[in-house]
Structures are given as C-alpha cells and as structure tokens.
Amino acid sequence: MAKFGLSQAVRRVEDPRLLTGRGRYTDDIGMEGQAHGVVLRSPHAHARITAIDTAPALAVPGVLAVITGADLAAAGLGPVPCVIPLKNKDGTPRAETPRLALATDTVRHVGDPVAFVVAETPQAARDGAEAVTVEYDVLPAATDLATAHEAGAVQVWDSAPGNIAFDWEAGDKAKTEAAFARAAHVTRLTVVNNRVVVASMEARAAVAAWEGGKLTLHTNTQGSWLVRNLMANVVFKMPPADVRVVTPDVGGGFGMKLYLYAEHVLVAFAAKQVGRPVKWASERTEAFLSDTHGRDNITLGELALDADGKFLALRTKNWANMGAYLNTFAPFIPTGAGTKVLASVYGFEAIHANVLGVMTHTVPVDAYRGAGRPESNYLVERLIDTAARELGIDRIEIRRRNMVPQSAMPYVTAMGQRYDSGDFAQLFGAALEKMDWAGFESRRADAAARGKKRGIGVAYYLEATGGGPTENAKVAFAEDGFVDVYVGTQSTGQGHETAYAMLTAHELGVPMEKIRIQQGDSETLPEGGGTGGARSLYSEGQAILVTTASVIEKGKQAAAEHLEAAVVDIEFAPGAGRFAVAGTDRGVGILELAGIQRQRVAAGQSTILLDAQETAKIEAHTFPNGCHVAEVEVDPDTGVVTVPRYIVVDDVGHALNPLIVRGQVHGGVAQGVGQALMERTAYDHESGQLLSASFMDYALPRAEDLPDIDVDLIEVTCETNPLGVKGAGEAGAVGSPPAVINALVDALGGKVVDMPATPETVWRALNAA
C-alpha cells in the first residue's frame, strides 16, 4: 500500500444507522419463547449464607426456576476465572479467589450474586427474587484500601493473608537503590488514584439459548472469543465449537465489557434448565454493584535527582485494590500493564516498582480505559511537578532536561520497553506554544481581578498499547455485490466500521459504500483478539492488510484464467480496483471478477474464488504519546473548579482518520476530567454499602463541565507496523488527570489535593490552617 495514502477526515459510516435508531443492541434481542432472569444480590458486604429458601419464590405466578450456587456446584460448573498467573517477588504464586457464578457459603461484596430467578416476564422475575428468603450471618467488612492491609483488618480470603493477594516487583532494585544513594535530592509523594464506576451508556445484558448440545449467547462484549473460550473451557467444560457468542452493537465498553461475567453463565445454565431462551438485562444501580470498577490505587513514588535536576531513578510502591475477587485480568493491570510505562518519556537510569494487590469487600476492579498506564503517568507527572517546586526549577525546564531526545530512537527504557519512535520535545514545545504558556500570568491576573484563582498544568504522557500476539480477518465477496470484511475486534463506539472500510477500500479499490464490516460472531473466525489496550487499528489493520494482499493474489490467478493470460502478466491497480494484462487495455474489475468466479463455482466448474482469511502476527506494540495542557479556575468561596481551556498535542503515528482520532481523544479527556474533579466512588466503611450507587450520588461530567478540547496531531511514524499507526483509543484518559490536578495545585499555590478534587475537597484545602 501507499504508506500515507490514508489521512482523510471521513465522517463515520455507522453513525446514520446508530443515530436513527437502527442499531441493534443486546437488549433489543428477543427470542421466541424467551424467559427473563433477575439476579438476587447480597445486601451485605460480608456475610455467611446460613440458609436459602426458594419455595416462596417458586410459588410466585410466572416463576419458572430459582437457581442457587448449590445448583451450579451440583452440575459441576467451573468458576468464573482469573486468567493471569502472577508470581510474587519470592517466586510463589498469587492467591486464588475462586468464584462460582453464584455464592455458595459466603458473600464478599454488596451486589454479590446469590440466586437467579427465571420467570415468564421481567416483573414476575423481580417478584420472585423478592420472595426468596436468604438468612445471613453478617460479618465485619474491609472496604477501605488504605487500611485493609493493616494488621488486624478483617480478612476477605484465608488464601490472602493480610488481604494481600500478590506482592510483585519489577525493575532493577539494586541499581535503583544505588542511584538513590548518590542522589542530591529525593522527592517523595503519595498519590490516590480514585476508584471509578465505568457507567457505560449501554448497560450489560445477555440472552442465551440451546439447540441440542449447542449454546448460543448474545451479549455485549469487547470480543466474543474470550467469552466463548472461558465459557466452554472453564465453566461448562465443553468443546468451544459448541459455544457460539454473538456480540451485536455495543454502547460503550472502556475495558469493563471485556470479561466473562456471572450473568453470562447464569442465562446459559438457566436456559438449559427451563428449556427456553433466557434473557437478563442490568438495571443502572445493579450495574454500579456488578460491573467491574476501575483504578483505585494508593501509590508512594520516590524520585531521585542529581545536583543538576537530572532524573536518576524512580521507586514506587503501589497498593492496588482488587475488590472481593480477582477478576479476569485484574492482577495484570497494576503490574505488567501499568509499570511498563513508568519511565514515560524520561531518561531514568533505573526504576524499581513494587505492587501489592489488596483484597477488599468491594466490587472487583479490572481494566478501565488505559488500564494501569493512566495510574503510572499520573504518579510520574505529579512527582515531577513536586520535585520542580521543591528544587525551585521551572516545571517546563525540568521536563526538558530529562526528555529522551528523538536522536536516541530506538530507545530502551529502564523498564525494558523499546520505543521505536518519538519526538517528545517537538510535541512538548508545540503544546506550550499553542496554549500560550508564556502569556499565562496575564490570564492569572485577570482571574484574580474577578476573585478567582487560576492555575495552569502540563502533563506529558506515554501510553503502551496491549493485546494478543495475532489477529484475524476474512474478506468475502457476497452474492449481492458487497464485500464483507470479518474482523476479530469489536467496536464499542470507536468508529471501527469506518476505519476498516477505509483501509479495505484503499487496498482493494472497492467503494466504501460497498463494504460491510462484520464483527462479533465467534463462528465467523477461528479466533479474535477483541478490543482493549488501544490495539484495534494496528492489530486488525495488519490483519486486513495481509488478507487483502491474499485476495489480490487470488484475484491475479482468477484474472489470468478469465483474461487468458499468464499470472505474471496480471497487474492490479488498487486505485481503480481493476486487474489488467500488463501493456494492454484488457482488464476486469475486482467486483465483476468475484461475481464471475462465483458463477463458475455455482456451475460446478473448478476455479478459484477471491475470498480469503488470514492471520497477522503482531510482533510489536506501539507507544502513542503527547502533551496535555490545562487551565483551571477556582472559586475560593465555594471550591468549585472549572476548566476554561484545554489543549492536547498528540502523536498517534499515522492518523488514518484524524476526525475519529480527535473524537477518541475528546472522549478520553472527558473521562479523565471526570475522574480528576468529580467521580467519587464512596463506600460506607462500617456496612460496606456503596453510597454512590446511582447518578444521584455519582457525578459524571456533563457538557457544561467540559471546555472545548483542542487537539492537534503531529505524526511521528511508528516503525513497527506497516500502517505506521499507534493506538489512540486510550490516550485522552492517560494525560488528562495529571494535567488537571497539576493545574489545580498551581492555582492553590502548591497545596496538594487528591482526586477527585470535588468542591468540598478544594474548599477544605483552601481553608486548611
């Protein structure tokens, strides 16, 4: 392909369908004879189940079945697993926290599933759930991350003494300690990365049906294949070929919809029991209590500097809340995912990271947009501002002194990551100029004249994308003249249909309007890596490239047959979508040729079709990076913080569609600003109740809370994939929290505040003695 032939701001092709109500989400799916399920959840954070009486529920009109954990155990179902085999720093394995889809003897968080009631209607199922009698022996709970690992705390699991599920380390401890020993200055800072509720626009749902020994599950995931494999191999212990998972349109995922959930298991088991399809759809408060949460770290960071303000080493100790159970990928998020970007864009000589996974009686925590990388970037950028303040060095200058120069690329960091490309200084300078950093003091003075405190903050972020080592694609020429492109990733609102159609059109010369992107059905491809870790374009894009290349090779053979020429004489012009005999005007269009070949096959002739399916090896991940600059204003009378200006300068490599990239950054910044200033997940430390379990008590940012977010893109080509792209989906959420909080600390004259910096928090900081 022409390496930079794709840079058009094409409007999203899926939007007309979605905006006019023609999307099809899981809750839109209804099957003939469908029954409805409701989950009865624990009202207690920690309790022993002493008795369950299902008879009153079975007497409720319309109730078909009441399923308990004992039923699942008797049927031999496996657990809802954690798939990360982490080792402690002493070489022993992490703790196990086995979890059936329904609790059997102990509940460990408010919302823990206890029973599943199946009925003819949703209301009958709700009535049945209210009729189930559960007797609990209520126990003390540990819900506070800061104290759950202290001596004497209530134990969540006997298998995790002191509530520590793992004690993990990475980096060079000896080299780090040696650097600290010769440091001229050490800055220490403890930061809180607050727990957030994901709150996707579309809540989770699932519909299951059996046909003979085959299960079909319709559910909103970020990749059908992971759910299929875990359901088949771990839970039901059946061949994966006998489990089909179909993901329709998905309204937001952000990491939370990656996983196998209890409800997937319950609808499948219940459908088998009642001999009918069974559907479950989450209500909003139920989502607060059952969807995985994100973040929730307390991290001590130590930065060693020499006499010239050069960074020597970084040392971190992170207490990461895992919640009540180790979820699918949970142990990997603060460890392997988060620590690999601790070096960020700076030339540390050494880094050592220690991560402790802490169990609490709270909703399990797993990946949330950025998945460990926002937490690490937040710590580093807050540390740098603190060090600059302690040393009396300008915070711009201290960053410039320590940035890895472009001339050092490819560069291997102190955490062993190989950056293939990056021009950090260029992006940094462009962002400062765009914000008019030099002219800020006049804006501060104007704000002071209005009785407001204004601050400015900067954060340079570096993200490392993730995902599996392969990705699959299939191209099929349909009888209606369309080209179907089957992908192993899953759009949850990112614009994949547009990006993949652009790429396919560019390679095959087929008009975009003749291309259909097909996703979400586990039977269309042998495997799919799903969407997470900002992997989709650089992974699926490579799969589309190798698959379209295969199509073209098959097309040359078919064109040679059709045009009665040698294969070596056939050329393909992707701009025209046409095969031709070199040096002649004889040729055939790719869509016409595909139709001719189908007709030959239908007539019983032995010939070659243009359809192809290929697997791409993903041999390297990418390192998107950029600079966020925020200005905030504080009302000292109320503590209310506003964000009047916000700019981003990003390097996402080659931007296939800059319009979609900017939209992704806007969404990430909105989530980061929400976490920084508004989103407080509050548990009552005595009862373990989630106090912020609805939008009445959990504040998400609204349009009026956000500024215009100005995004510039500076392309520094990625050298490790043929598209030259770097993942863009998570970048906005990585750089925004430290930029906003650094600006707020500046506005408050250096007073340290933790996220979320709510008006109460800010007012108290301003008025503290």
Side-chain angles (χ1 to χ4, degrees), residues 22-325:
R22 289 178 288 134
R24 188 170 187 256
Y25 297 87
T26 305
D27 200 31
D28 295 325
I29 295 171
M31 295 185 177
E32 186 176 353
Q34 171 180 284
H36 299 267
V38 166
V39 182
L40 176 65
R41 301 184 182 277
S42 169
H44 306 294
H46 189 203
R48 277 189 289 271
I49 299 172
T50 59
I52 300 179
D53 186 1
T54 62
L58 290 167
V60 171
V63 170
L64 302 172
V66 181
I67 296 163
T68 67
D71 298 319
L72 303 184
L77 264 63
V80 178
C82 171
V83 301
I84 302 299
L86 201 72
K87 290 205 171 179
N88 296 308
K89 61 186 181 183
D90 64 3
T92 59
R94 62 160 175 79
E96 294 288 347
T97 61
R99 168 172 50 157
L100 276 179
L102 294 170
T104 53
D105 55 2
T106 305
V107 291
R108 289 181 168 86
H109 70 90
V110 174
D112 215 352
V114 174
F116 191 60
V117 180
V118 185
E120 297 283 357
T121 66
Q123 187 57 53
R126 284 190 284 268
D127 292 343
E130 289 185 5
V132 176
T133 301
V134 184
E135 295 181 13
Y136 295 100
D137 178 11
V138 180
L139 303 169
T143 60
D144 179 26
L145 172 61
T147 59
H149 54 86
E150 293 180 348
V154 176
Q155 291 293 287
V156 182
W157 289 92
D158 291 340
S159 59
N163 289 327
I164 301 299
F166 54 85
D167 184 354
W168 179 91
E169 67 179 352
D172 191 327
K173 185 174 183 180
K175 190 174 180 180
T176 301
E177 291 181 347
F180 270 85
R182 61 184 172 86
H185 180 84
V186 174
T187 290
R188 293 179 175 86
L189 180 69
T190 298
V191 299
V192 173
N193 215 286
N194 47 312
R195 176 183 285 238
V196 292
V197 172
V198 178
S200 58
M201 186 178 292
E202 179 209 22
R204 291 189 298 112
V207 188
W210 292 82
E211 186 174 344
K214 180 155 187 174
L215 167 66
T216 298
L217 174 69
H218 294 263
T219 186
N220 40 9
T221 77
Q222 289 177 231
S224 297
W225 290 266
L226 174 69
V227 173
R228 178 201 67 182
N229 293 342
L230 294 180
M231 283 276 280
N233 296 328
V234 181
V235 178
F236 286 96
K237 299 161 188 167
M238 58 193 287
D242 289 338
V243 177
R244 180 187 184 193
V245 176
V246 181
T247 301
D249 289 318
V250 180
F254 312 111
M256 179 269 290
K257 288 177 182 165
L258 275 167
Y259 320 115
L260 175 67
Y261 279 92
E263 294 83 7
H264 296 144
V265 177
L266 295 175
V267 292
F269 184 81
K272 189 86 164 179
Q273 295 298 105
V274 301
R276 296 165 55 176
V278 173
K279 179 178 183 176
W280 166 83
S282 175
E283 297 181 350
R284 184 55 68 178
T285 289
E286 185 177 22
F288 275 76
L289 297 173
S290 62
D291 296 350
T292 57
H293 291 177
R295 312 290 191 242
D296 206 354
N297 295 179
I298 298 174
T299 312
L300 168 64
E302 298 175 285
L303 175 60
L305 304 94
D306 68 13
D308 297 320
K310 292 279 286 184
F311 302 162
L312 299 175
L314 175 67
R315 186 163 56 201
T316 68
K317 186 170 186 177
N318 180 18
W319 291 266
N321 198 341
M322 295 288 102
Y325 304 94

Side-chain angles (χ1 to χ4, degrees), residues 654-738:
H654 173 47
L656 187 77
N657 186 325
L659 185 67
I660 289 178
V661 171
R662 288 187 171 91
Q664 285 288 288
V665 174
H666 288 170
V669 170
Q671 287 176 296
V673 171
Q675 182 186 2
L677 298 179
M678 306 176 71
E679 298 185 41
R680 180 168 178 250
T681 307
Y683 278 93
D684 180 85
H685 293 325
E686 293 295 322
S687 66
Q689 296 295 322
L690 180 59
L691 303 177
S692 53
S694 76
F695 291 136
M696 290 291 289
D697 302 295
Y698 188 86
L700 285 178
R702 303 183 182 190
E704 64 182 8
D705 299 311
L706 300 167
D708 287 336
I709 301 164
D710 196 348
V711 180
D712 276 0
L713 303 176
I714 294 178
E715 295 190 0
V716 182
T717 309
C718 182
E719 302 293 339
T720 58
N721 66 76
L723 287 164
V725 300
K726 304 174 185 178
E730 297 174 330
V734 180
S736 44

Side-chain angles (χ1 to χ4, degrees), residues 430-455:
L432 299 174
E433 182 178 355
K434 187 175 182 67
M435 184 58 109
D436 182 25
W437 183 280
F440 172 72
E441 289 305 324
S442 66
R443 299 193 291 279
R444 194 197 298 270
D446 289 344
R450 293 182 279 107
K452 302 291 178 69
K453 294 181 177 292
R454 191 163 181 134

